Amino acid sequence: MGPSIYLNNVGLKYGDNTILHDINHSFAAAQCHVVMGPNGGGKTSLLRSILGLTPFSGEIHIQWPEAKGKLGYVPQKAVFESSLPLTVMDFILLNQSRTPLFWPNWRNRSKQLGHALAQLERVGMAARADRRMGQLSGGEQQRVLFAQALLDNPELLVLDEPTTGMDEQGVRYLESLITELVSEQKTVLAVHHDVTAVRRLDAHVHVVNRQLVDSGSVSEVLVPEKIERLFNHYTSASQADSRALENVA
């Protein structure tokens, strides 16, 4: 089972620029949580803080049900040089825990290849296992990154705009996979910008605009009368609107 995540007075500044301000919130275990908000509102910074990739003030606790479990992460984007002779399968094998690319034990090598191919199959990329990473489209690369995040069967999966550059088929693959993971009691935490796609996921939505603006089910948060205010970029006026919205939400 996946963990729950608790944030206590979480803040983040770069110089005099406030990115996140006094966020007190929790993400329940074994559910899909989607963080939304305007560009520059601190969504990715919040994910990076939870992952421990950036310094922050306050406290963040990842509470595992038993021993500390495994975590998978899909960044927003990766860049692969087209001339680099690194195939999709090479990339997946390199990312398998404790597995060198040129494995001397061919019996184990065969097992690792089978596992890698199975994860590529889950994201619809098995047929392109021999293609170079740099020759794939941006959306196809994202699907491969998703496959590598699944290699260790993580209980917590963190996704930063996982559908960037994807076509509709790729988006549907990942939506189906996220639904499957949640049914397995995994915790999924994702930054997403597509309101229509998030509605299909039926996730718990958390709107961040330097502070927590709103949180609840899709039907509670992504309603027409709220959306325009929820996704306005942060200003002193929009901060006041956000506080007013919190009081009535």
Side-chain angles (χ1 to χ4, degrees):
M1 182 174 175
S4 50
I5 304 170
Y6 297 91
L7 286 67
N8 182 25
N9 294 326
V10 171
L12 176 61
K13 284 187 176 182
Y14 293 127
D16 294 330
N17 187 21
T18 297
I19 308 300
L20 299 171
H21 177 69
D22 286 343
I23 295 181
N24 294 278
H25 196 51
S26 63
F27 301 95
Q31 296 180 2
C32 178
H33 300 278
V34 174
V35 178
M36 305 188 77
N39 291 335
K43 304 182 299 297
T44 292
S45 294
L46 180 61
L47 255 61
R48 290 180 59 82
S49 297
I50 291 171
L51 290 167
L53 298 177
T54 191
F56 59 89
S57 59
E59 297 177 322
I60 296 177
H61 298 288
I62 300 178
Q63 186 171 316
W64 301 92
E66 297 177 1
K68 182 178 179 179
K70 295 176 181 176
L71 184 151
Y73 173 51
V74 180
Q76 187 176 59
K77 187 178 181 182
V79 178
F80 297 91
E81 171 57 47
S82 59
S83 63
L84 184 68
L86 179 73
T87 69
V88 170
M89 181 58 77
D90 290 339
F91 176 77
I92 295 296
L93 290 175
L94 282 168
N95 281 277
Q96 291 202 64
S97 298
R98 301 173 298 280
T99 305
L101 182 58
F102 301 105
W103 191 257
N105 186 321
W106 289 104
R107 181 175 299 174
N108 287 338
R109 172 74 168 178
S110 178
K111 181 179 178 181
Q112 297 297 334
L113 283 167
H115 180 61
L117 196 61
Q119 304 317 307
L120 289 171
E121 185 69 43
R122 296 177 80 181
V123 299
M125 290 296 293
R128 303 203 172 194
D130 60 347
R131 293 285 299 275
R132 290 186 180 186
M133 287 294 295
Q135 294 176 334
L136 300 179
S137 69
E140 289 172 332
Q141 290 178 0
Q142 284 299 108
R143 289 160 75 170
V144 176
L145 290 175
F146 202 112
Q148 67 82 26
L150 298 175
L151 287 169
D152 288 333
N153 191 27
E155 288 84 13
L156 171 60
L157 190 63
V158 180
L159 315 171
D160 190 1
E161 297 280 11
T163 61
T164 299
M166 280 191 190
D167 59 15
E168 186 64 21
Q169 182 184 38
V171 171
R172 295 291 183 151
Y173 261 113
L174 296 200
E175 288 174 358
S176 175
L177 193 47
I178 288 172
T179 300
E180 177 185 329
L181 294 169
V182 173
S183 72
E184 296 170 357
Q185 299 292 290
K186 317 286 191 184
T187 302
V188 178
L189 178 62
V191 165
H192 215 310
H193 69 276
D194 189 327
V195 171
T196 301
V198 174
R199 283 186 174 131
R200 289 197 300 262
L201 281 173
D202 194 27
H204 295 266
V205 180
H206 315 269
V207 182
V208 172
N209 193 357
R210 298 200 184 184
Q211 59 186 359
L212 182 69
V213 176
D214 202 0
S215 179
S217 66
V218 167
S219 60
E220 293 170 330
V221 177
L222 298 182
V223 292
E225 58 269 24
K226 282 188 177 183
I227 286 177
E228 183 177 356
R229 282 189 296 171
L230 291 177
F231 295 96
N232 279 337
H233 196 272
Y234 178 95
T235 63
S236 58
S238 66
Q239 183 181 37
D241 288 344
S242 297
R243 287 173 178 164
L245 182 58
E246 285 182 303
N247 292 332
V248 300

